[in-house]
Amino acid sequence: MQFLHGPSDRQAAEAVRCRIDFKYALGLELDDPGFHHSVLSDFRDRLAQGDRADALLDLMLERLRMAGLVKERGRHRTDSTHVLATARKLTRLELVTEAVRAALEELARHAPEMLDGLVTAEWGERYGRPVRMCSQPSHPVARLTQTGLDARDLLGRFRENRPGQVLGPMLEVLRQIMVQHFVVDARGQLRPRTERDGLAPARIRIESPYETGARWVRRGNTRWTGYLTHVTETCDETSISVITDVATVASAAVTRLPECVPGTVTIGRFTIVTTPSTRAFADTPSRGMKPFVHGCRGKESGVAMAYLLGREDATIGMVKERGGCGDRA
């Protein structure tokens, strides 16, 4: 109900208390007092742990199969949508500065003695609070170079005091960001990378020290930092549409469609270009839903379909014509 109507957690909890249609949909009595709005966020957090959402989807599909609402060898379709990361957009200077600040806080919690003699009053001014800069900060290259030198000193201090020990999470993120954004020139000087030095590709470039899996992606006129979610559902004309699989991947990880082989499969108005099945992605169970025809729209969904199916005998491809199952893809 919250997904359909789009209310906030507070508004959804209030609707459960006051609206008859919500009570009816949830099977509650008219005098049911409802629940506190924080229960919704707590439930979402629990659902995200230990693949509980997948287990719930498996159970739902099994019950639907027993009821005859879902069958094998039917029509499936896959489409993708972008998901924004829960992180603000950072410039390169802001990213490196915030990564240094996060690493300092990590060391201050677990090994504060390591910062003695390293952190000065100037460090406190640069990294003492969350980084928020104006659109055109003064001397950005000089400040970025100084931040890189501070990061190198910080990582060097850790290696001197803890030789052979694995870096903490924030220190490891800082190390990766340093590799992506800095280079040591022929004179042994640390400086920011330029296009001539070679910049890190978007598929591996870290955009936030706190959400390292998010990637910056451009698809046509749409630009975002986050992920791609691929949703697969049934689309037979004589039965209801049911979601059978959901996969979220790093947006930049899906960049191409497998090579097509000659030939098409046409059923009614649903035309598919056949391609060889691929196992380039990790094997993912198809939850027993073996499709007779599996369509998608867009090259990202084409790769995702191969990822979701993971089957050597699958018919996969891109929808070339609108109509039938493809209309709603």
Side-chain angles (χ1 to χ4, degrees):
M1 298 292 285
Q2 190 175 13
F3 174 79
L4 290 175
H5 297 281
S8 64
D9 288 352
R10 290 180 180 271
Q11 293 170 336
E14 183 66 20
V16 172
R17 284 190 293 270
C18 303
R19 292 180 52 171
I20 296 177
D21 54 344
F22 270 65
K23 290 181 181 293
Y24 177 80
L26 297 176
L28 302 176
E29 300 292 337
L30 291 178
D31 57 352
D32 191 287
F35 49 82
H36 194 266
H37 64 87
S38 62
V39 172
L40 294 174
S41 61
D42 292 340
F43 175 77
R44 286 193 294 267
D45 292 340
R46 294 198 304 271
L47 196 61
Q49 298 173 357
D51 295 329
R52 293 179 179 177
D54 284 339
L56 185 60
L57 181 58
D58 289 337
L59 177 62
M60 181 193 74
L61 291 176
E62 181 61 30
R63 298 291 176 84
L64 291 175
R65 275 196 292 264
M66 294 173 59
L69 297 176
V70 176
K71 61 181 180 180
E72 292 187 4
R73 313 306 296 175
R75 294 186 179 188
H76 289 186
R77 61 165 172 250
T78 296
D79 201 1
S80 63
T81 184
H82 62 279
V83 178
L84 301 180
T86 55
R88 61 190 178 94
K89 185 177 180 180
L90 301 174
T91 64
R92 183 158 70 155
L93 176 57
E94 289 176 325
L95 173 66
V96 178
T97 306
E98 187 64 24
V100 173
R101 191 183 76 84
L104 285 171
E105 289 191 347
E106 183 180 66
L107 281 181
R109 289 192 301 268
H110 299 99
E113 70 282 355
M114 204 174 296
L115 302 179
D116 294 341
L118 179 65
V119 177
T120 63
E122 293 181 354
W123 280 52
E125 292 180 0
R126 287 197 288 265
Y127 313 115
R129 64 185 64 183
V131 180
R132 292 187 180 275
M133 299 181 181
C134 60
S135 59
Q136 296 181 342
S138 59
H139 310 291
V141 177
R143 294 171 68 175
L144 181 60
T145 302
Q146 182 60 54
T147 304
L149 294 173
D150 292 344
R152 185 181 64 178
D153 293 342
L154 181 61
L155 293 171
R157 176 64 64 92
F158 180 88
R159 294 190 179 96
E160 290 177 2
N161 288 268
R162 304 288 176 84
Q165 183 172 334
V166 179
L167 296 174
M170 289 295 104
L171 284 170
E172 175 60 25
V173 170
L174 177 60
R175 185 195 67 79
Q176 295 180 29
I177 290 176
M178 288 291 293
V179 172
Q180 293 178 0
H181 292 280
F182 291 89
V183 65
V184 178
D185 59 21
R187 297 175 298 174
Q189 301 295 321
L190 183 74
R191 60 174 176 80
R193 283 183 178 271
T194 62
E195 291 186 2
R196 180 177 298 179
D197 301 316
L199 301 176
R203 66 177 180 273
I204 64 172
R205 189 171 63 242
I206 296 175
E207 300 293 337
S208 170
Y210 306 109
E211 193 163 351
T212 57
R215 297 292 182 263
W216 183 87
V217 180
R218 179 177 62 189
R219 292 289 184 269
N221 295 325
T222 304
R223 296 170 175 82
W224 77 95
T225 298
Y227 311 89
L228 271 176
T229 293
H230 305 278
V231 179
T232 301
E233 66 175 355
T234 61
C235 58
D236 288 296
E237 296 179 356
T238 58
S239 62
I240 62 174
S241 296
V242 178
I243 293 177
T244 59
D245 214 325
V246 179
T248 301
V249 298
S251 302
V254 181
T255 57
R256 66 181 181 85
L257 185 68
E259 294 296 330
C260 292
V261 296
T264 61
V265 176
T266 303
I267 299 180
R269 294 177 297 164
F270 192 59
T271 303
I272 300 176
V273 177
T274 58
T275 69
S277 182
T278 176
R279 306 185 74 86
F281 296 86
D283 289 337
T284 299
S286 57
R287 306 184 193 278
M289 303 300 298
K290 301 174 183 178
F292 176 62
V293 174
H294 198 131
C296 72
R297 192 175 300 281
K299 66 178 182 179
E300 300 90 354
S301 293
V303 178
M305 187 162 53
Y307 164 71
L308 292 173
L309 292 176
R311 289 170 46 81
E312 297 294 344
D313 59 344
T315 299
I316 63 176
M318 291 176 59
V319 176
K320 289 297 183 182
E321 298 178 1
R322 296 184 64 85
C325 195
D327 262 343
R328 297 156 55 191

